[in-house]
Structures are given as C-alpha cells and as structure tokens.
C-alpha cells in the first residue's frame, strides 16, 4: 500500500469533503474539508472547541458525519467504527494514552491480532516477541525489551509503542492529538525524529498541537479551524505566527502575556524547609500580596509535589508553613481552603474536575457548604445564580449549566476549575501548569485573568514548564531541580537560556 502511495505524489491519501456534524445545541463542524498527501505532516490547528477533535474522531470512525464524504487512496470509504478505520489504514494516537499497564509491550502491540501457532489454538508468544523486537529496533528502542510490562515505561516510551503499533497495523495515516503535552524536551526530540522516519516511509501524519513553535519545526502544511468552520489551508513556510494566531482566534492577539505592574505587598504565604524524602528537600520560599511567583523546572524536579504538600494533598515530613505571618497546620485540602488557599492542579481531568457531572456542580464543588441549608439540602437557586455569574465573567462557552464537564473543550474546562476556586475568594492561588493543553486565545484570557487577580491583591504561585509563560507572567521566578530550589531570578532581562541552564545543573 505504501508503494502505491509513493506513486500518488500529486494526489491525496485521504480527503474529507464538506464534512458537517451537529450535537444537541452545537454545530461542531460546518462544511469542513481536509486533504492530506502521502508522507506529509499536516498540522491541524484551532482554539479549543474549534472542531479539531470532532473532525479526527470522524476520521477514526468514532463519530459519523451528518453530511459529507471521505475518500481514502482515491476510493470513497464509509468509516462506520474504529475497527473499520484501522483496517482502512488510519490510526489515531490520543492525548490520554490508554495502555494495558500490566501486559507486556509485545501484547500491547499485537492486541487483538496475536499470531497463532499452526494448531490455531495457542498464541505464538515467541513469534510475537520476535516481531516486536524487530519493530523496536526499527524505531531505535533497542534498550526496551518486548517482555517488559508497559508500566515500566515512561510516558514518552508508551507513546512510541503506540506509534509502533500504528505502523505495524500498516497505517498510512496516523493522527497524533497533542503528542508532546506530557513529554520532556529530549523526548520531544525523539518523537520528532520518529515523525521524520514516518515521513520517509510515506506515512501521512495529521498533527494536532497548541504549541505553535512545534508546527514550524515539524509540519509541511497547516489547516486552521474556527468555530467549526474551515478558515484556510497553507504551506507552513507561507504563514508567520501572527497570521496563524489571527486565523485561529479571528482577531490579532497583541499581547499573549498581558502582565500589568502591580504593587507588591507583605508576604501572604511563607514556606520554610519543607521536606518529603525522595521527592524534595529543605524547600523554602515566600509569595507576597499582588505577586506572581513563577516556579520553573524540568519534569521530575519536584515542583508539583511541593505544591501538593502546601495544599494538604500530601503530608510533609518536616518544615513549616506560615499564612499571613501565623504558623498553620495544613493536613488536608479542607484546611487549606479554610486558610484561604486555592489550587488548580496540573491534571484538570484527573484531579480538577468531576467529568461526569455538570458545569454547575463542578463550580460549587469546593464550596458546597456555602450553598446548603440545614446542613443537608442544597440551595439550588443560589447555586445556579453563583454558577451563572462566575461562568459569564469567565466567558465559558457552554450550552447550559447542565452541560457535562467532559463535553467541554480543554480551555473551557480550565475556566471551570478556575471558577471553582475564585468563588471561594482565596488569598493565595496555586496554578500548576495553568495553560497546558489549551489554545492560544484561551491562554491569553487566563494570563489576563491572572494579572487582574494579582492587581486585586491575590498572591499567585504559577508552576509552568513553558519558559515564555514563566518570563512573560512572573514577577519573580524560582528554579527547581532534583527536589531543591536551585536559583532565584528577578528583573525584566531574564533570558530563557539562564533559566534552562539553572534547571539543568547551574545556579
């Protein structure tokens, strides 16, 4: 099939023509077309809710279009379910990986199509491992053994196994949805090398990402969606960053980091010599009223672990916490909330939201006692009024307060998590990766909100792996590495190289 694809250099391996799709109250796609050539890396961009996920889920057979048609290798196809899509030659790698952790790499790669012995009664595990070893060697994973369980692998290695599985299925089109969202810089480099290998093998890659710098590094062509409609398709070299942003959000974003100068007051939170063995040691810092304190470090530096200890999610072994000058015991999140802390966790889906509950229920969840009477009954009128007011202020795009959180886009989910904490009127707000996995327009909105909250006197701790965000939004930055604070940076002339050098091993 790939050889046939090689003869089709001037044609398309997949064409989605005039695709429309509606859900109750929402037109997700309106007459959208997408054409991808063999061996092309085709970036698919758009704000959260623009229709990207719906489009690729139609391609993967998860959704059926209301109208339009799909042509694969020159022939019309009906992708009625994911199995049909895979057999056609289309494979999808989701942002949230779902490997079978207690099964081996070989078993994960060949799940559902295991080679059998001649008797057809028993799986030929020796042959499965032999084929897996060859595939691992093809993708420069010689250090990984076919017999290892998936739980022994890093996130990046799991992602590589997903790619290998797709290639072993003879996929001619591989869809990658936010593939770098949980990867380190080194792992991203490995992934990009793999994508280049796929390109040489004439495999087409549809690449969804919110990181615009990645588009210029890896993609050949870019298609932009906005509000369920096709804005345009162009060669990557023909569009600069400003044009891409304008295409995505429908307006020019003059300032992605709208940091306003704020009067910084007295310390609201002081942490002294906080320690959890094996995670972090003797961590001390303070954050002041009106200040945005940035926490930077590489994956595994211990930043999130420190914040979870401060917020009472995890217990610490030694150290002290002071709020407004008074020593406090924060043994659980309920105590933290009473002391005036709020925390937007790194993983909004696992820790920040109850995905199967409504927008309204998620907003009031952390402060439910405030909206009950007789200690047992929810005051639904007040609950609705508060939820509606904050969701309007946060400009949450939703069909109603009853809409389930799982059906919202990533940016709107993040706004719901922020809303939950803002109605509790915190003094100190911890934001762990506040803009991870959300589009450039929503990022600008959240950055603007952070600046306004600081002006109102909140003390904000922002944990981020994105250097431009750290530099653009922080009044002061602490760098962590190997569970310790390795450096402190202030001033307007901090450069990315200094911060990265400190995180890697300097001071």
């Amino acid at each position: 099939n790939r050889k046939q694809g090689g003869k089709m250099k001037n044609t398309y391996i997949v064409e989605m023509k005039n695709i429309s799709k509606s859900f109750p109250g929402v037109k997700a796609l309106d007459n959208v077309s997408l054409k991808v050539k063999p061996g092309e890396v085709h970036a698919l961009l758009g704000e959260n809710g623009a229709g990207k996920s719906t489009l690729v889920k139609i391609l993967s057979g998860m959704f059926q279009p209301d109208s339009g048609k799909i042509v694969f290798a020159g022939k019309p196809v009906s992708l009625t379910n994911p199995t049909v899509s895979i057999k056609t030659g289309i494979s999808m790698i989701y942002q949230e990986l779902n490997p079978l952790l207690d099964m081996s790499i070989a078993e994960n790669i060949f799940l559902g199509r295991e080679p059998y012995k001649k008797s057809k009664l028993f799986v030929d595990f020796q042959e499965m491992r032999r084929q897996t070893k060859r595939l691992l060697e093809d993708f420069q994973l010689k250090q990984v053994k076919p017999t290892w369980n998936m739980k022994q692998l890093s996130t990046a290695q799991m992602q590589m196994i997903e790619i290998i599985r797709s290639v072993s299925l003879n996929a001619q089109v591989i869809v990658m949805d936010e593939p770098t969202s949980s990867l380190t810089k080194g792992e991203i480099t490995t992934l990009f090398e793999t994508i280049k290998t796929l390109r040489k093998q004439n495999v087409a890659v549809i690449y969804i990402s919110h990181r615009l710098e990645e588009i210029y590094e890896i993609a050949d062509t870019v298609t932009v969606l906005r509000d369920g409609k096709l804005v345009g398709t162009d060669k990557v070299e023909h569009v600069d960053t400003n044009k891409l942003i304008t295409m995505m959000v429908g307006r020019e974003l003059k300032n992605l980091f709208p940091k306003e100068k704020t009067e910084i007051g007295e310390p609201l939170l002081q942490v002294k010599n906080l320690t959890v063995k094996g995670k972090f040691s003797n961590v001390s810092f303070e954050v002041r009223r009106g200040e945005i304190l940035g926490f930077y470090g590489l994956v595994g530096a211990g930043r999130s672990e420190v914040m979870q200890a401060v917020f009472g999610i995890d217990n610490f072994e030694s150290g002290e916490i002071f709020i407004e000058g008074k020593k406090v015991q924060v043994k659980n999140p309920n105590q933290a909330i009473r002391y005036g802390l709020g925390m937007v966790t790194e993983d909004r889906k696992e820790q920040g939201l109850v995905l199967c509950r409504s927008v309204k229920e998620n907003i009031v969840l952390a402060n439910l006692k405030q909206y009950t009477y007789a200690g047992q009954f929810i005051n639904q009128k007040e609950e609705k009024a508060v939820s509606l007011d904050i969701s309007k202020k946060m400009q949450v795009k939703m069909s109603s307060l009853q809409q389930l959180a799982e059906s919202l886009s990533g940016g709107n989910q993040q706004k719901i998590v922020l809303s939950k904490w803002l109605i509790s009127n915190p003094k100190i707000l911890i934001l762990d990766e506040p803009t991870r996995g959300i589009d450039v327009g929503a990022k600008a909105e959240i950055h603007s909100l952070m600046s306004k909250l600081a002006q109102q006197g909140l003390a904000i701790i922002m944990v981020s792996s994105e250097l431009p965000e750290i530099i653009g939004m922080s009044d002061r930055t602490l760098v962590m590495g190997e569970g310790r604070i390795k450096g402190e940076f202030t001033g307007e002339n901090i450069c990315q190289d200094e911060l990265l050098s400190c995180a890697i091993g300097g001071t």
Side-chain angles (χ1 to χ4, degrees), residues 33-247:
S33 296
L34 176 71
K35 298 179 179 181
V36 183
K37 292 179 179 180
E40 177 182 57
V41 179
H42 196 117
L44 184 59
L45 300 185
E47 291 190 276
N48 291 107
K52 307 184 301 295
S53 293
T54 304
L55 188 66
V56 294
K57 282 178 180 177
I58 287 172
L59 190 60
S60 71
M62 288 184 67
F63 293 158
Q64 300 304 305
D66 298 332
S67 61
K69 65 178 182 178
I70 300 172
V71 177
F72 189 88
K75 297 178 181 179
V77 291
S78 178
L79 305 176
T80 51
N81 58 58
T83 302
V84 171
S85 186
I86 289 169
K87 286 181 177 177
T88 301
I90 300 164
S91 183
M92 183 158 178
I93 300 171
Y94 295 95
Q95 184 177 358
E96 287 85 21
L97 300 173
N98 292 299
L100 298 172
L101 296 175
D102 291 313
M103 292 179 71
S104 71
I105 292 172
E107 289 168 320
N108 271 267
I109 289 175
F110 286 94
L111 187 66
R113 53 192 184 95
E114 296 85 353
Y116 279 81
K117 294 184 177 180
K118 289 181 180 179
S119 65
K120 303 293 182 183
L121 294 174
F122 302 102
V123 173
D124 191 340
F125 285 101
Q126 188 174 356
E127 175 62 17
M128 188 193 299
R129 290 168 191 147
R130 187 190 68 77
Q131 290 186 38
T132 301
K133 184 174 183 290
R134 179 177 55 78
L135 287 165
L136 292 171
E137 288 173 351
D138 287 346
F139 284 86
Q140 308 303 314
L141 285 176
K142 295 178 184 178
Q143 75 279 16
V144 175
K145 305 301 179 188
T147 52
W148 286 7
N149 279 0
M150 290 293 285
K151 63 185 176 185
Q152 295 176 251
L153 306 181
S154 68
T155 302
Q157 287 172 328
M158 288 183 192
Q159 206 161 45
M160 293 296 291
I161 298 305
E162 280 290 312
I163 293 171
I164 289 170
R165 173 176 163 78
S166 297
V167 171
S168 71
L169 287 163
N170 201 30
Q172 295 175 69
V173 177
I174 299 178
V175 181
M176 297 185 184
D177 189 359
E178 296 287 349
T180 62
S181 60
S182 301
L183 303 187
T184 65
K185 198 165 185 177
E187 290 168 336
I188 290 170
T189 301
T190 302
L191 175 66
F192 286 178
E193 288 301 318
T194 303
I195 291 173
K196 288 172 185 175
T197 301
L198 293 173
R199 182 193 273 146
K200 289 175 185 175
Q201 294 175 353
N202 227 23
V203 176
V205 175
I206 298 175
Y207 190 91
I208 300 174
S209 178
H210 289 117
R211 297 178 175 178
L212 297 185
E213 67 275 11
E214 293 180 0
I215 305 306
Y216 290 100
E217 186 169 350
I218 201 66
D220 304 299
T221 310
V222 59
T223 289
V224 178
L225 303 184
R226 185 173 70 240
D227 298 329
K229 296 181 179 180
L230 175 66
V231 177
T233 298
D234 208 337
K235 290 287 184 185
V236 168
E237 62 261 30
H238 296 163
V239 287
D240 60 18
T241 303
N242 290 333
K243 185 178 178 182
L244 271 184
I245 291 173
T246 303
M247 289 172 74

Side-chain angles (χ1 to χ4, degrees), residues 432-471:
D432 195 352
E433 301 288 358
T435 63
R436 171 173 286 173
I438 64 175
D439 61 77
V440 67
K443 279 186 180 183
E445 290 178 13
I446 287 174
H447 290 153
S448 179
L449 176 67
M450 287 168 58
S451 190
K452 287 174 184 175
L453 292 173
Q455 286 182 316
Q456 292 168 15
L458 267 74
I460 296 175
I461 300 172
M462 179 186 68
V463 177
S464 178
S465 301
E466 296 191 21
L467 281 168
E469 183 171 62
I470 284 286
I471 292 170

Side-chain angles (χ1 to χ4, degrees), residues 270-276 279-286 295 301-303 305-307 310 318-321 478 480-486:
Q270 293 168 293
V271 174
K272 296 184 179 179
N273 301 315
L274 217 62
T275 298
V276 173
K279 292 185 177 180
F280 55 86
S281 178
N282 293 319
V283 172
S284 300
F285 65 91
E286 67 177 27
F295 258 78
R303 300 163 302 160
E305 289 81 358
V306 169
M307 299 310 151
V310 170
S318 61
E320 298 173 305
I321 297 175
L478 298 177
M480 279 195 72
E482 299 173 341
R484 296 175 181 272
I485 291 179
K486 304 178 77 172

